[in-house]
Amino acid sequence: MPSAVAAPGLGWGLWVTRAHCRAPYWPGAASPASLLGSGLKICGLKTRHLREEKQPRWARLLQPPGEARGGPGASKIDVGEARGAGLLLLPPVRPPQGAGRPGEPSGLPRALPGEGTPGEGSSGDTATPNPARRARVCPCRCQALLYGDAEKPVETGARAAPGAAEPRPVCTCDKKPCGCQKADVNYAFLHSTDLLPACNGEITTMSFLQDVVDILLQYVVKSFDRSTKVIDFHYPNELLQEYNWELADQPQTLEEILLNCRTTLKYAIKTGHPRYFNQLSTGLDMVGLAADWLTSAANTNMFTYEIAPVFVLLEYVTLRKMREMVGWPGGCGDGIFSPGGAISNMYAMLIARFKMFPEVKEKGMAAIPRLVAFTSEHSHFSVKKGAAALGIGTDSVILIRCDERYSAQRDATAGTTVYGAFDPLIAIADICKKYKIWMHVDGAWGGGLLMSRKHKWKLNGVERANSVTWNPHKMMGVPLQCSALLVREEGLMQSCNQMHASYLFQQDKHYDLSYDTGDKALQCGRHVDVFKLWLMWRAKGTTGFEAQIDKCLELAEYLYNKIKNREGYEMVFDGKPQHTNVCFWYIPPSLRSMEDNEERMSRLMKVAPVIKARMMEYGTTMVSYQPLGDKVNFFRMVISNPAATHQDIDFLIDEIERLGQDL
């Protein structure tokens, strides 16, 4: 592993590693000859600086003035010359106690910026260690992280078979987590300009990003700890006064940037917490999280194959699989991942309008008759938003009354937002076919049930739809955002939206232009949303998603059975929920004997908001509430978090009663 060559008077040292970091070695006299003779290599920035030449430039730099080559000791080093020779200058290091013999196991050294390195090969000068926080970089990763495959040092001996994985240097300790001491980097005097692509910025960048990952991992672990709060709630004015969130002209140090990261997560909602039930999108999947990190690192755009080759292909195969699950033969059709279900629904309205009146693309709404959209009275508000944005107008959205189970009789929503109701898709499809109406199914919330053999019957008839919205970031637990629009007719989306931008979609490219998907989207820049879903699907398989979804529906039924006849609870509608939405009122003891009149409704309306506020202030759990129509505020419990258990449902019931018994 590492050794040290001191640079007296400069307060810096050179980090030296044995090839592949097999074993620690601390030579007593670290001359260039002894370093080379012991099989050690200076960890420079490029391969050429690691080759054991007869007299490499870095060896000349280490040679003491007036001393024969290979003599003992170490010399002063000119920092500029050293960097020019490709040497990686790190803070000085000192060997751990007891180290000294080749092959003898020992811990790794801890380097203190500004501190001298006493001992052989050093002047013995010391300085007071800087008290600022220091990051840690495991030096045994140097070769693996500093060099790409094409730049790795050449190893002697047998070569691996073509296609075989390159051997990666690893820590030799067997402790989990790794207990090795680390080299320190002082962030108090570093800025973003010291990170890559800055010259010699590799180690600082690795250190900084590893510290960010440490912060994230601590947050992730705490998110699943039931003893931690779901939220550390503060009022807006408190957070604004407690921290300085303003943007300044001068840069902050990396130390302050890391503090910003910690502060942000400290007050963030732990949406992966097993007792977070507030939204349709809950939970935190580890594979999905890893995929999101990878997507951000790739940092590319989805408009052409040439800049996102793998991601474009993954979108193609994933959308085809989703269309197969809808029931379209062979997964035929088209589709796209969009920024959420609201945009997917608007896409569907846009394409439906173009299908009926293609001239609207050039001539506008004035050239076509008035259009009307029929939708459930409990459909998502995005239907009206889409109508407003497309010039159809909200007055042209006709709301269809629902039956006693809150499903529409002429429109198509698969899993309404509040009640979780599924509209009768087959009957609606018959009407649409008879009158030649475009049928769109908003399955943003309920589409995930297509993964379940036990529950997919609730979407019978979806295969007859012209388009379907499906949000994997809801019931399937894919990290936000991940929403797909699926269209049965292939090529229609392209014809509707394409504008032939020649600087992106050249027609004489050397590959199949059908994989340049950007011209069928409204956006130009489009985020890579598919990789999270694809990687999770690979990790879980369809059966894994099925088990996850079945569990959530079973928990919803468990909650319903526990409270339907429990004192102090009233259900908003009769019958077992169709989805994981469980809607109920909690009736405090003071209201249970009151007659059902206006005064009781007025007092009951205040119960859910107060309990919710107390939940947030205590930080114990979160569940949504709302009024709807003539119904006063009620709790809308939704379960999509794979981490939730029966014990968490029991806790929620007990907590509602604890927080609301005095109301």
Side-chain angles (χ1 to χ4, degrees), residues 191-520:
H191 296 80
S192 64
T193 50
D194 295 301
L195 303 173
L196 289 174
C199 181
N200 298 337
E202 289 89 343
I203 290 295
T204 303
T205 299
M206 289 160 49
S207 171
F208 174 73
L209 291 181
Q210 286 172 358
D211 267 37
V212 172
V213 169
D214 285 345
I215 293 170
L216 295 174
L217 292 180
Q218 290 173 16
Y219 176 80
V220 168
V221 171
K222 287 182 179 179
S223 291
F224 293 95
D225 184 354
R226 288 173 173 81
S227 67
T228 64
K229 291 183 176 182
V230 175
I231 175 178
D232 184 359
F233 179 77
H234 286 64
Y235 289 96
N237 63 317
E238 293 176 336
L239 281 181
L240 287 172
Q241 293 172 8
E242 189 169 350
Y243 296 95
N244 178 16
W245 307 97
E246 298 301 322
L247 300 174
D249 293 335
Q250 299 303 314
Q252 288 189 326
T253 66
L254 294 182
E255 182 76 18
E256 293 170 307
I257 295 302
L258 289 174
L259 180 60
N260 293 158
C261 293
R262 294 189 187 90
T263 302
T264 300
L265 287 179
K266 172 178 170 59
Y267 298 107
I269 309 296
K270 296 185 181 72
T271 57
H273 198 288
R275 292 171 181 169
Y276 175 78
F277 306 106
N278 204 67
Q279 308 299 142
L280 303 182
S281 302
T282 64
L284 184 59
D285 186 271
M286 297 301 99
V287 174
L289 179 62
D292 217 3
W293 290 352
L294 185 147
T295 298
S296 294
N299 192 31
T300 192
N301 204 313
M302 284 294 288
F303 44 58
T304 61
Y305 176 84
E306 66 184 274
I307 65 167
V310 176
F311 295 135
V312 166
L313 294 179
L314 295 184
E315 185 172 72
Y316 171 79
V317 299
T318 304
L319 290 171
R320 182 180 62 191
K321 181 66 173 180
M322 296 175 77
R323 293 192 297 267
E324 286 179 4
M325 303 200 74
V326 167
W328 297 336
C332 66
D334 206 345
I336 199 169
F337 282 90
S338 75
I343 301 299
S344 292
N345 286 341
M346 188 174 73
Y347 262 122
M349 298 178 74
L350 178 71
I351 297 167
R353 183 180 67 177
F354 177 81
K355 174 68 174 178
M356 302 300 180
F357 302 98
E359 64 271 21
V360 73
K361 182 176 178 179
E362 289 81 22
K363 299 179 180 178
M365 290 293 291
I368 66 174
R370 180 192 176 194
L371 303 180
V372 174
F374 296 92
T375 187
S376 161
E377 63 177 329
H378 294 301
S379 64
H380 196 263
F381 65 85
S382 61
V383 176
K384 282 191 172 183
K385 277 200 170 186
L390 296 175
I392 297 171
T394 58
D395 287 347
S396 295
V397 177
I398 310 301
L399 301 181
I400 305 300
R401 292 186 61 82
C402 297
D403 61 18
E404 66 278 2
R405 291 304 305 272
Y406 303 102
S407 60
Q409 298 304 300
R410 285 184 176 82
D411 190 39
T413 301
T416 57
T417 303
V418 179
Y419 294 133
F422 289 80
D423 294 338
L425 303 184
I426 295 176
I428 293 171
D430 290 339
I431 295 172
C432 291
K433 180 180 179 180
K434 180 179 180 179
Y435 294 102
K436 298 181 180 179
I437 299 173
W438 180 282
M439 178 181 173
H440 173 66
V441 174
D442 179 4
W445 174 224
L449 270 61
L450 290 170
M451 310 291 284
S452 169
R453 287 167 290 184
K454 182 178 179 181
H455 296 284
K456 67 180 181 180
W457 64 268
K458 298 171 185 178
L459 289 95
N460 284 348
V462 67
E463 71 279 359
R464 296 176 62 183
N466 298 99
S467 57
V468 176
T469 291
W470 181 351
N471 284 10
H473 68 230
K474 291 183 178 175
M475 200 62 204
M476 295 170 68
V478 177
L480 286 160
Q481 60 192 18
C482 187
S483 174
L485 173 72
L486 310 175
V487 182
R488 187 167 61 182
E489 182 177 338
E490 187 173 3
L492 185 58
M493 178 178 287
Q494 184 85 6
S495 299
C496 176
N497 295 323
Q498 68 181 7
M499 290 296 168
H500 305 287
S502 60
Y503 73 99
L504 288 175
F505 310 113
Q506 301 91 341
Q507 297 303 298
D508 52 0
K509 292 182 179 181
H510 62 290
Y511 58 81
D512 185 349
L513 297 181
S514 66
Y515 292 103
D516 282 0
T517 58
D519 216 9
K520 67 182 178 183

Side-chain angles (χ1 to χ4, degrees), residues 628-645:
L628 189 63
D630 60 351
K631 294 176 171 55
V632 299
N633 286 322
F634 57 86
F635 286 110
R636 182 204 64 165
M637 173 71 172
V638 288
I639 304 172
S640 61
N641 191 341
T645 65

